[in-house]
């Protein structure tokens, strides 16, 4: 199969590289010249474990190329995937479909033969039908089908998720398009990964419903964590006890500083808007969005308390600012609420993150960047563990405490215990949902 992939972001690049590894001929397109130049030099513009070597392997095998020129990419292609961004539209919470529709129009103008136009971007119900209308209007003579193929990969584990998915969802309207999609995913069919073939609307809805459910699960445990703090229960024990119930499951049950990232915040908002538009409000998601903001604010309050009532004049070391470990993605990270609150409150903030600096430097003005946790801890009054990178899971806490001026720690990912902190010489230790009997 010959495939064109429009957009070389976290989803487009990983999908393009993995499809080429399936043996397909893939051309990746991006309208950002800097990205294409980097890719042509063999450099990966994002941090995603394992992506550089898999990309190099497939470029070497001449199955994977990059271009800025969309018409060249779709010339002779069996399918073209749209994997461009669908950020929150400013002002109203809807998914902004400008990039998707622009890509659809460009495809329509350049296509000369039968092609399946596949939307991989996360898009509201009804978008694939609109894509079909846009393409038909721009090129009435074109023979084409549309397909919905939402992506479920997780940044940080994206290659494994793509190669060994829990399921692939394909929404199609015709047998012909279904056959093309089957051929593209043949390696996964052969290995018996579940493929859910359905209609366009259901495929579109599955993606939003799945993300909204996961955001709800995180938000649920974050609310339980707040209650644990009042009642003396330990949320880690509660999560474990709940998660062992097969009907509940243990993933996405870790209390923390609120969900963030490039998907959950925008997809929950978009789903809430879709519900309102159809006069069928998704009230649970409307609450989840609100509670997640409260969770982030609660973290700020917790930190102010730890700073004796004010950030002013304090030096705070922050470990981790990306929205989760193993990615450089900073979009909607809780750090973007918490760190500016510290800086705005008059604190001197020293930040370290294994991959977050490139993005973080312009998103977190006024902070000082450090190479590692030990450098960040020098003369700090408070240490805040914000993103649970592996590098931060086995710190020499004794050394950290010695380097600090104050001996206070806020562990917003519950990586350590009060006993660890006490043994290391900390005099105050805060975490999430464990301030009852576990308090110092
Ligand atoms: N990031 C994730 O973990 C993830 C997971 C599942 C689904 N998604 C969805 O996938 C979509 C893409 O997300 P992302 O994180 O990869 O976005 P991204 O912002 O990282 O990448 C989008 C890319 O598309 C390019 N682009 C935009 N318009 C273009 C055009 N007309 N022609 C060529 N290139 C164009 C941009 O330059 C950019 O490089 C979104 O809808 C998102 O919701 C993302």
């Amino acid at each position: 199969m010959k495939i064109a992939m429009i957009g070389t972001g976290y989803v487009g690049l990983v999908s393009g590289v993995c499809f080429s590894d399936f043996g397909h001929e893939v051309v990746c397109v991006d309208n950002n010249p800097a990205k294409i130049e980097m890719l042509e030099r063999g450099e990966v513009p994002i941090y995603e474990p394992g992506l550089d070597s898999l990309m190099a392997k497939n470029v070497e095998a001449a199955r994977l190329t990059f271009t800025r020129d969309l018409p060249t990419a779709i010339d002779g292609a069996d399918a073209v995937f749209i994997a461009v961004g669908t950020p929150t539209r400013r002002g109203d919470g809807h998914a902004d479909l400008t990039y998707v529709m622009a890509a659809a129009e460009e495809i329509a103008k350049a296509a000369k033969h039968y092609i399946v136009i596949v939307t991989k971007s996360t898009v509201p119900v009804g978008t694939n039908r609109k894509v079909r209308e846009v393409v038909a209007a721009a090129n009435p003579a074109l023979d084409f089908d549309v397909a919905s193929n939402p992506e479920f990969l997780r940044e940080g584990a994206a290659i494994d998720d793509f190669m060994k998915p829990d399921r692939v969802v394909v929404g199609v309207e015709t047998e012909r398009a279904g056959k093309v999609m089957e051929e593209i995913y043949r390696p996964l069919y052969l290995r018996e990964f579940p493929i859910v073939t359905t209609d366009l609307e259901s495929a579109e809805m599955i993606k939003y419903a799945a993300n909204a459910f996961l955001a709800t699960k995180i938000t649920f445990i974050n609310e339980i964590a707040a209650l644990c703090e009042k009642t003396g229960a330990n949320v880690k024990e509660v999560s474990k006890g709940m998660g062992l119930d097969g009907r509940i499951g243990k993933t996405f049950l870790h209390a923390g500083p609120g969900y963030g990232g490039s998907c959950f915040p925008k997809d929950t908002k978009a789903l809430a808007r879709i519900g309102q538009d159809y006069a069928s409000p998704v009230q649970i998601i409307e609450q989840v969005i609100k509670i997640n903001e409260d969770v982030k604010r609660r973290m700020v309050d917790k930190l102010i308390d730890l700073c004796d009532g004010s950030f002013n004049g304090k030096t705070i070391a922050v470990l981790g600012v990306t929205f989760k470990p193993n990615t450089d993605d900073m979009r909607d990270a809780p750090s973007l609420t918490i760190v500016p609150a510290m800086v705005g409150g008059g604190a001197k903030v020293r930040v370290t993150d294994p991959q977050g600096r490139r993005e973080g430097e312009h998103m977190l003005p006024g902070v000082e960047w450090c190479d590692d946790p030990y450098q960040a801890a020098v003369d700090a009054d408070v240490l805040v563990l914000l993103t649970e990178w592996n590098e931060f899971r086995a710190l020499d806490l004794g050394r950290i405490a010695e380097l600090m001026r104050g001996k206070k720690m806020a562990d917003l990912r519950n990586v350590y215990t009060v006993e660890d902190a006490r043994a290391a010489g900390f005099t105050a230790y805060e975490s999430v949902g464990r301030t009852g009997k576990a308090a110092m």
Side-chain angles (χ1 to χ4, degrees):
M1 288 266 126
K2 188 176 170 203
I3 296 170
M5 183 67 63
I6 316 295
T8 61
Y10 290 85
V11 164
L13 187 57
V14 170
S15 307
V17 167
C18 291
F19 279 145
S20 67
D21 205 58
F22 286 175
H24 301 309
E25 190 187 324
V26 179
V27 185
C28 290
V29 189
D30 207 290
N31 58 7
N32 178 337
K35 277 196 181 178
I36 293 299
E37 279 162 25
M38 278 184 86
L39 289 163
E40 282 176 332
R41 285 198 301 270
E43 294 166 25
V44 181
I46 54 169
Y47 175 73
E48 180 59 45
L51 188 57
D52 46 1
S53 53
L54 198 64
M55 186 175 109
K57 174 187 155 197
N58 287 288
V59 168
E60 174 83 5
R63 286 190 294 260
L64 178 63
T65 53
F66 306 99
T67 181
R68 281 168 63 187
D69 190 50
L70 189 142
T72 314
I74 66 166
D75 188 24
D78 300 285
V80 52
F81 284 74
I82 300 176
V84 300
T86 48
T88 301
R89 191 164 71 193
R90 200 169 290 175
D92 66 6
H94 272 293
D96 183 349
L97 295 177
T98 313
Y99 307 106
V100 171
M101 293 308 167
E105 209 166 326
E106 274 186 79
I107 293 166
K109 286 181 181 151
K112 296 190 176 64
H113 54 80
Y114 176 76
I115 192 163
V116 183
I117 302 170
V118 191
T119 306
K120 206 167 229 333
S121 301
T122 302
V123 292
V125 181
T127 303
N128 276 276
R129 289 195 190 282
K130 281 192 202 132
V131 166
R132 195 178 53 197
E133 281 166 26
V134 164
V135 174
N139 186 351
L142 183 66
D143 186 15
F144 73 101
D145 276 308
V146 292
S148 168
N149 176 217
E151 183 50 56
F152 297 91
L153 61 77
R154 293 164 302 166
E155 288 173 18
I159 293 171
D160 238 31
D161 284 351
F162 197 94
M163 297 293 203
K164 297 180 216 152
D166 288 343
R167 78 314 208 174
V168 172
V169 173
V170 176
V172 280
E173 293 177 301
T174 67
E175 213 175 288
R176 195 178 180 194
K179 285 240 153 45
V180 171
M181 294 304 288
E182 198 177 317
E183 197 55 40
I184 289 171
Y185 281 105
R186 177 178 291 278
L188 300 184
Y189 273 95
L190 291 176
R191 289 161 65 207
E192 295 185 359
F193 286 103
I195 315 271
V196 179
T197 304
T198 181
D199 55 274
L200 296 175
E201 285 76 12
S202 302
E204 292 166 333
M205 185 63 96
I206 287 169
K207 176 65 192 175
Y208 278 113
N211 270 2
F213 187 85
L214 294 173
T216 304
K217 205 172 168 192
I218 295 173
T219 304
F220 180 85
I221 202 65
N222 283 337
E223 281 222 295
I224 294 295
L227 190 55
C228 284
E229 289 179 10
K230 300 275 189 219
T231 55
N234 178 337
V235 78
K236 273 194 113 166
E237 300 294 315
V238 175
S239 292
K240 191 170 161 194
M242 281 175 68
L244 286 168
D245 186 326
R247 294 167 302 177
I248 296 173
K250 62 183 185 206
T251 55
F252 288 81
L253 267 191
H254 301 288
Y259 63 75
S262 60
C263 292
F264 290 176
K266 80 173 176 65
D267 293 349
T268 45
K269 282 184 205 141
L271 183 61
R273 287 308 307 213
I274 295 167
Q276 286 156 10
D277 285 355
Y278 282 85
S280 179
V282 193
Q283 296 176 55
I284 193 164
I285 297 307
E286 291 175 1
Q287 279 304 308
V288 163
I289 294 164
K290 192 182 149 298
I291 296 165
N292 195 54
E293 290 307 311
D294 294 345
V295 171
K296 289 188 268 183
R297 270 195 297 276
R298 199 160 62 78
M299 295 301 128
V300 172
D301 291 343
K302 197 186 262 295
L303 294 172
I304 292 175
D305 280 352
L306 199 60
C307 289
D308 307 317
S310 169
F311 287 134
N312 199 20
K314 296 288 192 301
T315 299
I316 304 176
V318 174
L319 312 190
V321 287
T322 52
F323 86 92
K324 67 174 179 180
N326 292 328
T327 182
D328 55 353
D329 202 339
M330 293 280 301
R331 287 177 282 185
D332 274 317
S335 65
L336 297 179
T337 302
I338 295 169
V339 173
M342 295 172 181
V343 175
K348 183 174 164 200
V349 182
R350 296 161 62 82
V351 173
T352 186
D353 189 289
Q355 294 292 336
R357 184 167 181 168
R358 191 176 48 180
E359 281 294 301
E361 261 183 340
H362 64 95
M363 296 175 105
L364 292 173
V367 307
E368 185 185 332
W369 288 87
C370 300
D371 293 337
D372 61 54
Y374 302 98
Q375 195 188 355
V378 172
D379 291 336
D381 297 294
V382 175
L383 180 85
V384 181
L385 202 167
L386 203 44
T387 310
E388 71 281 32
W389 284 87
N390 265 343
E391 288 89 329
F392 304 151
R393 285 181 180 277
L395 292 171
D396 181 345
L397 288 183
R399 189 176 151 208
I400 296 251
E402 260 176 42
L403 290 165
M404 291 173 66
R405 182 167 55 205
K407 312 283 177 209
K408 295 179 175 183
M409 177 175 181
D411 173 5
L412 302 187
R413 299 290 181 172
N414 292 347
V415 169
Y416 295 100
T417 63
V418 67
E419 291 79 17
D420 296 331
R422 193 182 290 128
F426 281 91
T427 56
Y429 173 79
E430 265 289 342
S431 59
V432 180
R434 301 190 298 176
T435 45
K437 292 206 174 55
M440 252 176 187

